[in-house]
Amino acid sequence: MSTSSVSKGCFVFKPSAKKKKTSLTVADYFNKGLKDSEGGEMRFESCQLLWQQMKSETEQLQEDLNKKLFDNLTRFLRQSHSNFHEKKDSWSCRMRSSEIPTAALVLGVNVTDHELTFNSLSEVLHDNITPFVVLLQAKECPGIKQLLQKLLTQLMGRSADVEFDEEEDHVAISQSKMNCSLASLAGWYRKVTKKTNSPMKKTNSPSKKRLSSSVHWQSPPVVVLFKDLESFTASVLQEFIVISSQYIRDLPLVLVFGIATSPMIIHRLLSHSVSSLLCIELFQSLSCTEHLATIVDKLLLTNHFPFKLSGKVLQVLITIFLYHDFSVRNFIKGLQLSVVEQFHSQPLSVLCCSLPDARKRTKNFSHGQCENIRHLSSFMSYVECQTPEKQVKLLTSDSYLKERTQKFLEDLHSYHENYIPVLRCLHHFTSILPKYPLGKQIRELYCTCLEKKVWESEDYNSALLLLRMLAKDELVATLHKCVDVLKPCSGKQLGSALVKLEAFLVHFQSPEVESLGGMEDEDTSPQKALQKKTDLYQLQKTLLEMKETRRSKKPTKFESLRLEVVDFIDSLVREYLAPPEMQPLHEAVYFSAASTLRRHLNAAPRVALHTALNNPSCYLKSLECDGGSVSSAAPDICIAYKLHLECGRLINLYDWLEAFATVVGSADRSDSNSSKPVYEIIHARFIRAVSELELLGFVKPTKQKTDHVARLTWGGC
């Protein structure tokens, strides 16, 4: 474009320095939302370090829990095709019957955890059994053609790990041009194993050493893992099994079925003629509840990690597990979210670390961090119980507060060291009682003890009554378990308790107590009278005599000793199992925001959707709160939603459109001379808003009236 400037010339404009786009790190996102940014970096580093330790512990636990299952599967796979080349009698029989070795792996209904289990199993098989492992999902195999294509693609893609020369590379590259059939797969397998076992090719590449090592034998099997057997189409499975059985002589194939429900699903999906082609062996994984019990025991009921959960938070996580998904993986994610929320929302979470580090950090506290301590409810409760002089020093002197804070941290650490062993001892006693008054699992007892003083509950008192009637063998066995629990604490505060329990065991082994432990009262005349035929009066008299005899009877040494044991356990509970809210500064290590956790993990989409449509200002900050009225500035779907709330079960589309146009088009009509184009635009916007509401499930077309839609939600006239 030309310029009409008075003077023409050449002007140089230096480009402004472009700001380099800096990518935000996780720490930036973490520190951005902190209410109290002081110590933000230290909180983020502590959070990362703590979760890495907990994550490594969970991964090790999962490995240990799956080890037995994977060992059994590995043994089965080693035996399935071990005599593929020797062609022994058993293998000849299997070839004649065309049976395919099949492992039915029952993993349970926690489907979200199956992915992790199958990935770990695939790695174990690939490292110890065979390089030919295939993972198949039902959504990727709608037909037999797609299943075979996926099978060949994964195998020949995996063959890159065991390629030995350019010829085999050519085989892998040209896989897209090959026919997707088991005949081509058998030929490819024959070539690969022939190259692998060739004596001339044994030392040229690390891949050959890997395949020809002692871990992988000659002609390793081809393992096909069906992750979700219930989701596969029955016809696809049947066709694949029938075709595979024809090539079992040339291809050592092994199938692994991932089952979430019951092994009977195999016979429901497959006909008898097809299932007879399988040599099935059943494998059962560890129960998800047992897995959860191990996770709780190793992560929460331990002093290795300073982070703790309050009773309500733990109850939320367990409730979601028991009533929603049975997923240990989601439980761990909830635990991770709790860790992040604690360090993000609590400024004093810098003290959620080891005791020596917490002491060092306390010494470097600023005045603002000291004020954060003074605002804690547990600290204020502690201050109220002190003398006026100490109250003044705690509220005004930062140096004195730091000294007391170190003492609080030491007491909190000692509290946790004593809490867990005594909790385990109480669980050993209550878990053998009928009807389990305090819960069968230790996590139930733990939740109860975290929320309140357990000794004030009726269940606890009923448990004590039952404990006072325990038999000698049960009582002695439980005492031995408690001694084993307290032995690691022998040099600490619970050392005296350990000595006392060992003394009880010695007393129970004395001859007098042993002779009286299981004996009945020698005077059995009332009991003998009950065995005779008698009338109602004599029966009532006999029962009264028995009652009086029991009252006047002097307790034996065994009964006295049993009462002493129960009273001693009760004293331990009252001394060491106080709720954590009674400990000053417990907020630094206990996460208690159960509502926040429930909102993230157990969301209510219907409530959130209604809030977003009925009051969009909650999410769109640019909109002012309209107090319930229909605003033209709101999105179209929000306007249509508010108008449909005023209608009954059937909504007239024309009336709905007129109301929508009244709200939306008033400003546009005043600015425009012609209302026709404006109305057409409003009509299009209305159609789109109604379509979105139909997609969300609020309305649907109806055949009762062609110009009406039916409302699918409650409310209205």
Side-chain angles (χ1 to χ4, degrees):
M1 296 177 62
S2 60
T3 178
S4 59
S5 174
V6 177
S7 60
K8 295 182 180 181
C10 181
F11 302 95
V12 178
F13 295 93
K14 294 182 178 181
S16 59
K18 294 183 179 180
K19 295 182 179 180
K20 295 182 179 180
K21 293 183 179 180
T22 57
S23 58
L24 296 177
T25 62
V26 180
D28 296 329
Y29 284 106
F30 183 88
N31 296 324
K32 186 178 180 181
L34 293 179
K35 295 181 181 179
D36 188 352
S37 60
E38 190 172 3
E41 294 183 2
M42 187 179 296
R43 285 157 65 181
F44 177 73
E45 293 174 359
S46 301
C47 177
Q48 276 194 320
L49 178 61
L50 175 63
W51 180 246
Q52 286 300 326
Q53 294 173 352
M54 299 179 76
K55 183 181 178 182
S56 61
E57 182 71 19
T58 56
E59 291 174 351
Q60 185 62 41
L61 285 175
Q62 289 172 350
E63 279 187 26
D64 296 340
L65 293 174
N66 290 330
K67 187 177 184 304
K68 184 178 180 180
L69 175 66
F70 290 171
D71 289 345
N72 294 335
L73 271 173
T74 303
R75 192 179 306 111
F76 168 75
L77 293 175
R78 289 184 185 277
Q79 296 173 357
S80 61
H81 289 288
S82 59
N83 47 5
F84 181 70
H85 274 284
E86 290 80 353
K87 299 185 185 298
K88 295 180 181 178
D89 294 338
S90 60
W91 176 244
S92 301
C93 295
R94 177 166 290 176
M95 285 197 301
R96 284 196 297 269
S97 61
S98 301
E99 289 184 347
I100 304 174
T102 305
L105 182 57
V106 182
L107 297 175
V109 295
N110 49 331
V111 182
T112 52
D113 294 345
H114 293 184
E115 182 73 20
L116 184 62
T117 303
F118 274 108
N119 291 338
S120 303
L121 177 60
S122 177
E123 293 178 3
V124 170
L125 297 181
H126 192 270
D127 294 338
N128 301 325
I129 300 297
T130 174
F132 309 124
V133 182
V134 181
L135 288 169
L136 298 180
Q137 285 183 309
K139 63 181 180 181
E140 300 172 346
C141 308
I144 186 63
K145 180 180 178 181
Q146 290 82 358
L147 190 149
L148 292 175
Q149 186 177 8
K150 194 73 178 177
L151 176 66
L152 286 157
T153 302
Q154 287 196 31
L155 281 176
M156 294 182 178
R158 278 291 182 91
S159 65
D161 295 338
V162 293
E163 296 299 341
F164 308 110
D165 56 8
E166 296 179 358
E167 181 183 354
E168 286 304 316
D169 255 347
H170 177 70
V171 171
I173 292 171
S174 62
Q175 58 180 319
S176 59
K177 301 179 182 179
M178 296 175 60
N179 295 325
C180 292
S181 63
L182 285 181
S184 59
L185 177 61
W188 170 85
Y189 177 83
R190 196 181 306 112
K191 290 181 181 180
V192 171
T193 53
K194 184 178 180 181
K195 294 291 182 181
T196 305
N197 300 321
S198 175
M200 299 178 61
K201 299 281 185 177
K202 281 192 176 177
T203 56
N204 293 339
S205 68
S207 300
K208 285 183 293 183
K209 293 180 182 178
R210 180 181 180 182
L211 195 60
S212 60
S213 63
S214 59
V215 176
H216 299 131
W217 61 86
Q218 188 179 14
S219 299
V222 177
V223 182
V224 183
L225 303 172
F226 293 85
K227 290 185 178 180
D228 44 352
L229 183 70
E230 290 91 345
S231 302
F232 276 86
T233 307
S235 59
V236 175
L237 281 174
Q238 292 185 17
E239 289 181 31
F240 175 72
I241 293 171
V242 171
I243 296 172
S244 302
S245 64
Q246 304 301 320
Y247 292 92
I248 196 65
R249 302 168 185 262
D250 304 319
L251 189 65
L253 193 67
V254 181
L255 307 181
V256 178
F257 291 157
I259 301 173
T261 54
S262 170
M264 292 301 296
I265 192 65
I266 299 176
H267 301 288
R268 293 176 186 172
L269 291 174
L270 307 177
S271 62
H272 177 71
S273 59
V274 177
S275 61
S276 61
L277 300 175
L278 303 177
C279 180
I280 304 175
E281 187 165 342
L282 183 64
F283 296 90
Q284 180 74 46
S285 67
L286 186 70
S287 169
C288 54
T289 54
E290 295 177 2
H291 194 170
L292 175 69
T294 307
I295 293 294
V296 172
D297 186 69
K298 298 298 181 182
L299 292 185
L300 302 180
L301 298 177
T302 179
N303 295 319
H304 297 158
F305 306 108
F307 176 77
K308 304 293 180 183
L309 296 178
S310 69
K312 292 183 179 180
V313 171
L314 182 57
Q315 192 63 49
V316 167
L317 292 177
I318 293 176
T319 301
I320 293 175
F321 174 85
L322 294 176
Y323 295 99
H324 288 81
D325 51 17
F326 283 104
S327 174
V328 178
R329 185 180 181 185
N330 289 345
F331 181 87
I332 295 173
K333 286 183 178 179
L335 185 60
Q336 181 182 8
L337 179 61
S338 303
V339 172
V340 175
E341 284 289 338
Q342 170 69 8
F343 282 91
H344 186 267
S345 59
Q346 177 55 257
L348 293 175
S349 57
V350 291
L351 300 177
C352 186
C353 55
S354 62
L355 184 59
D357 293 339
R359 290 171 179 167
K360 295 178 183 178
R361 294 178 182 182
T362 304
K363 293 179 181 178
N364 300 325
F365 264 16
S366 63
H367 177 72
Q369 291 172 317
C370 292
E371 288 298 321
N372 289 332
I373 296 177
R374 294 187 176 103
H375 292 159
L376 295 177
S377 58
S378 61
F379 178 79
M380 294 305 299
S381 300
Y382 173 79
V383 171
E384 292 174 358
C385 300
Q386 304 301 311
T387 60
E389 294 80 8
K390 286 188 177 181
Q391 290 180 357
V392 172
K393 292 180 67 176
L394 288 170
L395 297 176
T396 57
S397 175
D398 290 348
S399 58
Y400 182 73
L401 177 64
K402 293 177 184 179
E403 294 178 3
R404 297 305 305 167
T405 301
Q406 293 184 5
K407 182 66 169 58
F408 294 153
L409 294 174
E410 293 174 0
D411 294 342
L412 194 61
H413 182 75
S414 176
Y415 166 77
H416 290 144
E417 282 188 339
N418 299 328
Y419 189 97
I420 303 300
V422 175
L423 180 73
R424 294 186 187 277
C425 291
L426 179 61
H427 173 67
H428 285 315
F429 274 98
T430 57
S431 61
I432 61 176
L433 298 178
K435 296 184 180 181
Y436 309 106
L438 291 177
K440 184 177 181 180
Q441 302 288 339
I442 191 173
R443 62 172 182 264
E444 302 173 59
L445 177 62
Y446 186 43
C447 290
T448 304
C449 295
L450 287 175
E451 292 179 357
K452 58 185 177 181
K453 296 178 180 179
V454 66
W455 56 86
E456 294 180 353
S457 63
E458 295 181 1
D459 294 334
Y460 179 80
N461 294 326
S462 62
L464 288 186
L465 291 176
L466 293 174
L467 287 177
R468 292 188 177 98
M469 294 185 289
L470 271 183
K472 181 191 171 184
D473 53 350
E474 292 180 336
L475 186 60
V476 172
T478 307
L479 284 176
H480 278 294
K481 294 178 182 179
C482 295
V483 168
D484 294 336
V485 170
L486 296 182
K487 273 185 179 178
C489 312
S490 58
K492 302 175 184 178
Q493 295 184 14
L494 293 177
S496 58
L498 176 63
V499 174
K500 188 72 173 177
L501 292 180
E502 290 176 343
F504 282 137
L505 287 175
V506 173
H507 290 315
F508 276 117
Q509 293 174 358
S510 63
E512 296 180 357
V513 176
E514 284 187 355
S515 60
L516 295 173
M519 292 177 58
E520 298 290 337
D521 189 14
E522 294 179 359
D523 186 11
T524 58
S525 55
Q527 287 85 344
K528 290 182 179 179
L530 285 175
Q531 298 174 3
K532 300 178 181 179
K533 291 183 179 181
T534 180
D535 56 6
L536 183 60
Y537 175 76
Q538 291 295 334
L539 177 62
Q540 185 178 4
K541 183 178 179 181
T542 305
L543 290 175
L544 289 174
E545 290 178 359
M546 290 176 59
K547 188 175 181 180
E548 292 296 331
T549 303
R550 288 178 180 176
R551 287 181 179 179
S552 60
K553 184 181 66 173
K554 185 178 180 181
T556 62
K557 290 187 177 180
F558 167 73
E559 293 173 344
S560 302
L561 193 58
R562 181 173 57 186
L563 291 176
E564 289 183 21
V565 171
V566 175
D567 292 340
F568 179 71
I569 296 298
D570 180 42
S571 65
L572 289 179
V573 170
R574 294 174 182 271
E575 183 177 359
Y576 295 110
L577 291 188
E581 286 78 9
M582 300 178 65
Q583 302 296 321
L585 218 66
H586 72 273
E587 294 92 341
V589 296
Y590 278 87
F591 176 68
S592 57
S595 58
T596 303
L597 194 67
R598 188 184 294 107
R599 185 171 65 251
H600 286 298
L601 297 181
N602 195 14
R606 180 178 176 180
V607 176
L609 194 60
H610 173 77
T611 304
L613 295 176
N614 191 49
N615 190 12
S617 60
C618 293
Y619 297 93
L620 302 176
K621 302 302 180 183
S622 58
L623 297 177
E624 296 181 358
C625 185
D626 50 10
S629 61
V630 183
S631 173
S632 59
D636 293 343
I637 187 175
C638 298
I639 298 174
Y641 178 79
K642 282 192 173 184
L643 292 173
H644 112 285
L645 291 177
E646 301 173 0
C647 302
R649 190 179 65 85
L650 292 179
I651 306 175
N652 189 311
L653 284 173
Y654 182 78
D655 295 341
W656 197 4
L657 171 61
E658 287 297 320
F660 182 84
T662 302
V663 176
V664 174
S666 57
D668 296 336
R669 286 174 182 166
S670 61
D671 296 339
S672 176
N673 296 327
S674 176
S675 62
K676 185 176 181 180
V678 174
Y679 190 81
E680 290 178 352
I681 295 174
I682 293 175
H683 193 181
R685 291 168 60 183
F686 173 75
I687 293 174
R688 183 177 63 179
V690 173
S691 300
E692 291 173 348
L693 289 176
E694 182 182 358
L695 179 64
L696 292 174
F698 290 100
V699 295
K700 73 170 183 177
T702 176
K703 294 181 180 179
Q704 296 180 9
K705 295 182 180 181
T706 56
D707 58 344
H708 285 64
V709 292
R711 184 178 173 185
L712 299 177
T713 54
W714 294 98
C717 301

